[in-house]
Amino acid sequence: MKIGEYSRGGLTRGDNQASDHDMGCKEKYVPCGIVDEDNAELTITFGSSYKTSDFIVDALTAKWEAMPEQEKADTRLIQLTMDHGPESSGRRTQFLSRMVQLADAIHKPMQLLYYPPYHSKYNPIERCWGILELQWNGTKLTDAETMLEWAKNMTWKGMRPVVELSRKAYAKGISLGKAAMQAVEARLKRDLTLPKYDIVINPASTA
């Protein structure tokens, strides 16, 4: 998401002329969205660094930590429906390593279910992004605060999202070596038919 004198969709408003191409934008944000399909709650975290495996898992961790304690206690299995992006795929070593660590930290089993390639249109988060684009179409996002306020005012199934900003710096290209990944793989229960698309992670106490 570029920040500056740019208009969304190439539109302008009266005398507020906007740039219609990249003039060397230095401030950008990447979004990570989480949709709770049970209650339609949408959480969007804008990162000021890179969209990495660590950024995604940190967003998932923050989502869990924000849940009411009773809801955490009542949760027996965390089922996550994922897109097949490169930062969170069923083969991304750093992502899987961090998810194993998360399962151990919260003492809950997790199931990762992936949409097949080219089927992201069925992922509800993609529809959320479409609504957000319409929300700020024609708007100049001149700073992070403006971006956040416009995002907070969109609606998804009649509800406004929880919007956060992360300024944590993330390094790109982190991956595990063969030996370390073997230890992670030992913690994964991959479906025999769809090993890349259905993965269960049990916490260490019940693995």
Side-chain angles (χ1 to χ4, degrees):
M1 204 66 58
K2 296 176 182 178
I3 299 299
E5 295 294 321
Y6 310 102
S7 63
R8 323 319 296 176
L11 302 179
T12 57
R13 293 184 173 180
D15 294 330
N16 295 320
Q17 298 297 311
S19 301
D20 60 1
H21 58 283
D22 191 340
M23 298 293 289
C25 176
K26 295 182 178 180
E27 188 176 3
K28 299 179 182 179
Y29 293 90
V30 293
C32 177
I34 303 171
V35 176
D36 188 327
E37 296 187 69
D38 291 332
N39 59 25
E41 183 178 276
L42 169 62
T43 302
I44 304 174
T45 302
F46 288 95
S48 60
S49 183
Y50 302 105
K51 187 175 182 181
T52 65
S53 300
D54 292 306
F55 172 52
I56 294 170
V57 178
D58 284 351
L60 290 169
T61 302
K63 171 69 175 177
W64 171 261
E65 292 176 346
M67 288 171 54
E69 291 302 319
Q70 188 58 52
E71 187 176 350
K72 292 179 185 178
D74 293 341
T75 300
R76 300 184 64 182
L77 171 68
I78 300 173
Q79 194 174 72
L80 299 171
T81 306
M82 313 288 296
D83 65 26
H84 221 274
E87 304 87 1
S88 57
S89 77
R91 293 297 184 189
R92 188 73 175 194
T93 62
Q94 178 65 3
F95 176 74
L96 295 172
S97 174
R98 286 292 312 275
M99 292 301 285
V100 167
Q101 294 172 25
L102 178 57
D104 289 349
I106 65 177
H107 308 294
K108 298 288 182 180
M110 294 187 291
Q111 184 177 23
L112 309 179
L113 297 171
Y114 288 89
Y115 289 95
Y118 311 111
H119 285 73
S120 61
K121 63 182 179 181
Y122 297 107
N123 190 340
I125 195 61
E126 296 299 330
R127 296 193 289 277
C128 293
W129 297 145
I131 293 171
L132 180 57
E133 286 294 331
L134 289 174
Q135 169 72 15
W136 60 29
N137 189 32
T139 301
K140 290 196 293 183
L141 304 181
T142 54
D143 51 48
E145 290 71 23
T146 301
M147 175 189 70
L148 295 174
E149 287 305 313
W150 277 93
K152 289 176 182 178
N153 284 311
M154 70 169 279
T155 57
W156 165 251
K157 295 190 175 181
M159 297 174 58
R160 299 199 186 281
V162 175
V163 179
E164 306 288 347
L165 176 65
S166 170
R167 294 196 179 277
K168 183 176 179 178
Y170 291 95
K172 296 191 296 183
I174 297 177
S175 61
L176 274 64
K178 185 176 181 180
M181 192 54 199
Q182 285 178 341
V184 171
E185 278 291 339
R187 297 289 308 280
L188 309 180
K189 183 179 179 182
R190 294 182 181 270
D191 182 83
L192 295 178
T193 305
L194 299 170
K196 293 191 296 183
Y197 302 105
D198 186 348
I199 304 170
V200 174
I201 305 171
N202 287 304
S205 58
T206 59

